[in-house]
Amino acid sequence: MNQKTLTQRDKNIIWHPYTQMKRWSEAIGIVKAKDAILYAEDGKQYIDAGSSWWVTLHGHSNTHIAKRISEQLTTMEHCIFAGFTHEPAVELAERLLPILPGDMARIFYSDNGSTAVEVALKMAHQYHQNKNEKQKTKIVAIEGAYHGDTFGAMSVSARSLFTEQFNAMLFDVSFIPFPSKANEGKALGELENILKQGNVSSFIVEPLVQGSGGMRMYSPETLEKLFLLCKKYDCLVIADEVMTGFGRTGTLFACNQLKDAKPDIVCLSKGLTGGTLPMGITACTAEIFDAFLSDDAHKTLYHGHSFTANPIGCAAALASLELLLSDDCQKNIQRIVAKHCEAKQQLSSHPKAKDVRQTGTILAVEIDTGETDYLNNKRDFIYQYFLNKGLLMRPLGNIIYLLPPYCISDEQLDYAYQSMEELLEIFNTQ
Ligand SMILES: *Cc1c(COP(=O)(O)O)cnc(C)c1O
């Protein structure tokens, strides 16, 4: 038996993501995860209020999903997806296509959110090239965006501390202002000015909520206007629903809240497998797919990953989707939406709550700390404050938020709201 703790064994051999290892060299060892709770090796428990980086939908170690994964593991664990196909991949596409926003006709599988975005960017770019619209090479995104950490995904993301070391290597992208209510006219105006130049291939957005950018929210009406403008100028719209998908915004997908406008490409990951296995999907319309059909080899979409359409991932996604569409889960989502709504009223009245916002199951509070930088030292204090309270809530700078798994109980939610209020009170008395 190894007498050392996980924390100790990890310390000298592992490099953690998004982590300055000099300051954060002690990772908390987790030995079990069930429903909304993470169990640490020292006996502490943490409510996973952010769904483990936004992936867990139905809680941890869900037995329904586990059963399907286990059955798939002993039927077919993997199979090359070029020239071959299999039941889980076909069934998942059959089930997803009718419920995705827009007129999605094809599913392209990959590994994670960043790869789903890379595929979307390639599809959109090559679509215009294949149609001989050679000048359409420009991509437009929104200020503050986050679409992933690979180079293409970084290029369409905000230039920030996270991309700084690589900025010179990223391709040129036009960013329009964040389309808040106050900024809507400006955002639409700038988008149209860029579109008018006739060289834009696509516009990529996080619909309704910018996640990593600080849970920044904007209205479906505004999103509608942005999409319709793109349509007018024959610019493809990529909806990056990697975070917003699978019920987070209160509807199945954020783009379901649109009336007439439709995305041309949809990116999915995170909640896709209920948070059990990594997988990405890029869905597109028949019009895009058809532009790649040709006897000319140059018009082929040359992209693929070793684990494309991994059957275990597809089986997990099918099981998770079944749960998501069940009455129980839909009721849970509406329960969380209603609880958040009440908490929002309560938290809004606090003098240190600069802004309290909600979209569906996502509730965010911007704390008035006097600083706004992601690196402000209050961030570490806030993170530690919640950990001490048994809450895993990684703040985005001075923004604290809940994005819980749908199995979270009313008591756990109340405890989180109360802890948020107590934190605001600490800032009030400082
Ligand atoms: C997390 C995220 C991604 C990247 O997904 P990974 O699986 O972490 O690569 C892309 N887009 C959005 C909107 C995200 O929130």
Side-chain angles (χ1 to χ4, degrees), residues 76-144:
M76 172 182 29
E77 90 301 352
H78 189 59
C79 166
I80 181 175
F81 208 61
F84 289 81
T85 193
H86 50 73
E87 176 70 26
V90 174
E91 191 184 342
L92 183 56
E94 286 171 345
R95 299 246 171 144
L96 271 178
L97 286 172
I99 59 172
L100 286 176
D103 306 313
M104 297 300 126
R106 294 278 169 172
I107 296 285
F108 192 100
Y109 288 106
S110 66
D111 297 351
N112 55 61
S114 301
T115 57
V117 167
E118 297 288 340
V119 172
L121 296 175
K122 283 192 181 180
M123 272 182 188
H125 175 83
Q126 198 179 337
Y127 164 82
H128 291 292
Q129 296 303 306
N130 283 358
K131 290 189 19 170
N132 225 10
E133 298 162 345
K134 301 286 182 206
Q135 81 287 1
K136 293 211 170 212
T137 56
K138 167 136 266 171
I139 302 173
V140 181
I142 297 180
E143 279 172 13

Side-chain angles (χ1 to χ4, degrees), residues 54 112-115 117 146-149 206 211-212 240-243 269-270:
W54 320 342
N112 55 61
S114 301
T115 57
V117 167
Y146 177 76
H147 296 289
D149 281 353
E206 293 158 89
S212 301
D240 177 355
E241 296 243 18
V242 168
M243 187 280 277
S269 187
K270 293 206 165 116

Side-chain angles (χ1 to χ4, degrees), residues 55 57 65 246 269-279 313-314 316-317 320:
V55 302
L57 283 194
I65 302 177
F246 304 101
S269 187
K270 293 206 165 116
L272 173 60
T273 61
T276 56
L277 288 163
M279 189 158 87
C314 293
S320 174

Side-chain angles (χ1 to χ4, degrees), residues 343-345 347-349 353-358 363-366:
K344 185 185 161 197
Q345 306 303 326
L347 289 162
S348 297
S349 62
K354 202 152 77 178
D355 187 37
V356 185
R357 46 189 184 256
Q358 179 199 5
L363 177 71
V365 180
E366 196 169 335

Side-chain angles (χ1 to χ4, degrees), residues 188-221:
L188 286 165
E190 290 200 19
L191 178 60
E192 183 148 30
N193 279 340
I194 300 167
L195 289 169
K196 268 185 187 155
Q197 292 164 19
N199 61 350
V200 181
S201 72
S202 60
F203 174 54
I204 182 166
V205 290
E206 293 158 89
L208 304 187
V209 187
Q210 272 190 344
S212 301
M215 295 300 156
R216 295 206 290 174
M217 302 172 184
Y218 59 103
S219 75
E221 291 75 26

